[in-house]
Amino acid sequence: MSMSTSGKRIYLDHAATTPCLPEVADAMRPYLTDIFGNPSSPHSFGQEAKRALDAARDTVSDQIGADASEIYFTSGGTEADNLALIGVTSALSGKGNHIVTSAIEHHAVLETCEYLHTRGVETTIVPVDEHGLVDPEDVRKAITDRTVLVSVMHANNEIGTIEPLAEISKITREKGVAFHTDAVQTVGAIPVNVDDLGVDLLTLTAHKFYGPKGTGALYVRRGTRISRIIHGGAQERERRPGTENVAGIVGLAKALEISQEGIEERARHISELRDYLIRGLVSRVEDMRLNGHPTKRLPNNVNVAVQYIEGESMLLSLDMMGIAASSGSACTSGALEPSHVLRAIGLPFEIAHGSLRLTLGRSTTKEDLDYVIETLPPIIARLRSMSPLIR
Ligand SMILES: Cc1ncc(COP(=O)(O)O)c(C=O)c1O
């Protein structure tokens, strides 16, 4: 990111990633240098590392209400999603070949469904309403006697909508179908408990809750059938071969532990800041609306559609003013395409194009938001004055 003329740098892209907390980096450091053994080695060096791994597994399972034997460490959210979808469908290929998922899942889920299609697994994609909510009854209707897995994310990474997982899990239980959720955006942000949600598999990744990048986990409820998707040694009870990323896993556990301290109070505080930002922007800019659900949303997520301009140009102008945000478009084969999420909530192409996501974090202050509220409206006015979409 470029430095603004005022020297300010305000990071409002915490849904993309978060910095590692100093305490997390401190907890990891010994495992990069002194305690370097391979956890599979029977000698004392290896066993020291193995103890750290076991302790991390205990910590992670405690924080989400699981048992240590139900946690499989992975290289992050993408791999955990792949393991859930490919692993369950291949273990249950004798039973069925059908997945039910939602239209607003992360690419780690949707692209995996595309891949599975080439392996003979069909997917039914249930729609969402204008706020991004899945209707559990749509999930019920989509389940057939060939369905082996339902995958619905806990909260959407773009628009922040929190899905009714507990209601969906009543249906999956009734139907005897495994239920996976991608909880990458909720773990560490709001309380997450696998039994309260009723899920059988859950994806999490450390870099979204102030831990290191490249480390995640898949929770798999005992009794859920799942095959390995990569092949090699016997690590992670043979479900995820490869020498464990000990330092990363220690960091993940530490970050998760820290994230749970005062989580409800922090979520309340951040959602107050979120609402302050939403009010500040919507009251100052005409033809701006909030994307996502007004209340069932992540505490830190602001996503607004700004008519008549492009999100990308807002991003660049904000970056020049020291504000890091994200837009609702992605570059697909050289062209800017509005995201599948904004299209799924029914935004017309041109409005989806003008969407901007600002995601708050632990370090965000009211002063930061005042700066955004002061800086963004003139940027929008200037871009609109040049826009061919407005007279
Ligand atoms: C909802 C969701 N799922 C999965 C991922 C992928 O996680 P990772 O970057 O750890 O592979 C992300 C990260 O952007 C995400 O937001």
Side-chain angles (χ1 to χ4, degrees):
M1 190 179 77
S2 55
M3 188 79 84
S4 70
T5 42
S6 63
K8 270 191 198 299
R9 287 187 86 202
I10 298 176
Y11 184 75
L12 289 174
D13 201 13
H14 292 85
T17 198
T18 58
C20 226
L21 289 176
E23 303 93 299
V24 172
D26 288 347
M28 291 171 68
R29 204 160 286 117
Y31 296 93
L32 295 166
T33 52
D34 300 347
I35 311 173
F36 61 86
N38 185 324
S40 299
S41 303
H43 50 61
S44 66
F45 289 80
Q47 291 311 295
E48 228 179 338
K50 168 91 168 41
R51 277 195 293 279
L53 200 58
D54 291 345
R57 203 183 304 282
D58 286 341
T59 303
V60 172
S61 56
D62 280 353
Q63 307 301 334
I64 60 168
D67 188 80
S69 64
E70 298 173 311
I71 303 297
Y72 298 88
F73 291 114
T74 66
S75 65
T78 302
E79 187 191 324
D81 283 345
N82 273 259
L83 177 56
L85 271 67
I86 303 172
V88 169
T89 51
S90 51
L92 295 179
S93 60
K95 184 175 175 232
N97 64 343
H98 181 232
I99 295 180
V100 176
T101 191
S102 87
I104 60 166
E105 297 300 309
H106 192 268
H107 288 299
V109 166
L110 291 177
E111 291 288 318
T112 303
C113 291
E114 288 271 320
Y115 161 73
L116 283 168
H117 182 67
T118 68
R119 320 289 297 184
V121 177
E122 300 301 329
T123 300
T124 299
I125 298 180
V126 296
V128 292
D129 71 8
E130 76 271 26
H131 294 132
L133 277 179
V134 170
D135 180 347
E137 284 309 309
D138 284 341
V139 174
R140 182 194 296 280
K141 283 183 220 143
I143 295 174
T144 70
D145 53 4
R146 302 292 293 158
T147 309
V148 288
L149 184 69
V150 170
S151 181
V152 175
M153 69 201 318
H154 194 190
N156 182 264
N157 47 301
E158 290 187 38
I159 55 174
T161 303
I162 299 175
E163 300 298 340
L165 297 193
E167 288 170 49
I168 297 172
S169 68
K170 284 195 192 113
I171 297 167
T172 54
R173 292 237 161 122
E174 203 182 288
K175 302 265 188 190
V177 174
F179 184 24
H180 166 250
T181 191
D182 176 333
V184 160
Q185 292 290 338
T186 51
V187 170
I190 57 174
V192 171
N193 178 290
V194 292
D195 287 338
D196 293 347
L197 297 175
V199 294
D200 303 307
L201 303 106
L202 179 142
T203 293
L204 58 92
T205 187
H207 75 103
K208 308 287 184 177
F209 51 83
Y210 300 86
K213 293 167 186 50
T215 314
L218 181 68
Y219 154 80
V220 182
R221 188 177 291 280
R222 195 178 296 128
T224 306
R225 291 184 52 202
I226 186 163
S227 301
R228 50 160 76 184
I229 60 169
I230 52 175
H231 303 273
Q235 290 91 348
E236 299 295 290
R237 280 116 40 236
E238 302 193 0
R239 295 263 170 63
R240 204 291 189 171
T243 301
E244 301 85 345
N245 174 4
V246 179
I249 291 167
V250 166
L252 180 151
K254 184 71 183 174
L256 186 55
E257 196 172 24
I258 295 173
S259 75
Q260 301 306 299
E261 291 161 13
I263 187 165
E264 299 202 27
E265 202 182 303
R266 200 171 57 252
R268 205 168 314 121
H269 169 68
I270 294 186
S271 45
E272 278 165 18
L273 288 177
R274 171 198 71 192
D275 294 341
Y276 178 76
L277 178 59
I278 294 171
R279 278 196 307 274
L281 292 177
V282 171
S283 65
R284 280 170 184 77
V285 182
E286 270 178 43
D287 296 318
M288 175 191 268
R289 54 160 272 187
L290 184 69
N291 293 324
H293 199 281
T295 53
K296 292 174 188 163
R297 73 187 296 131
L298 286 170
N300 75 335
N301 176 290
V302 175
N303 188 314
V304 284
V306 189
Q307 276 201 52
Y308 313 120
I309 51 177
E310 287 193 343
E312 290 304 299
S313 34
M314 271 187 287
L315 268 198
L316 294 177
S317 304
L318 281 172
D319 191 27
M320 296 215 307
M321 298 301 286
I323 300 167
S326 161
S327 83
S329 307
C331 194
T332 311
S333 48
L336 271 183
E337 287 290 332
S339 83
H340 65 288
V341 177
L342 298 175
R343 299 291 285 152
I345 59 172
L347 287 195
F349 192 85
E350 65 284 2
I351 297 182
H353 248 310
S355 290
L356 185 73
R357 180 185 75 181
L358 299 151
T359 45
L360 287 54
R362 281 176 176 259
S363 60
T364 307
T365 62
K366 193 159 165 283
E367 288 67 44
D368 292 343
L369 303 182
D370 284 332
Y371 178 66
V372 176
I373 291 168
E374 197 182 292
T375 309
L376 184 55
I379 290 177
I380 292 173
R382 181 173 55 79
L383 293 172
R384 277 182 176 163
S385 72
M386 303 184 306
S387 168
L389 299 171
I390 191 171
R391 257 177 295 144

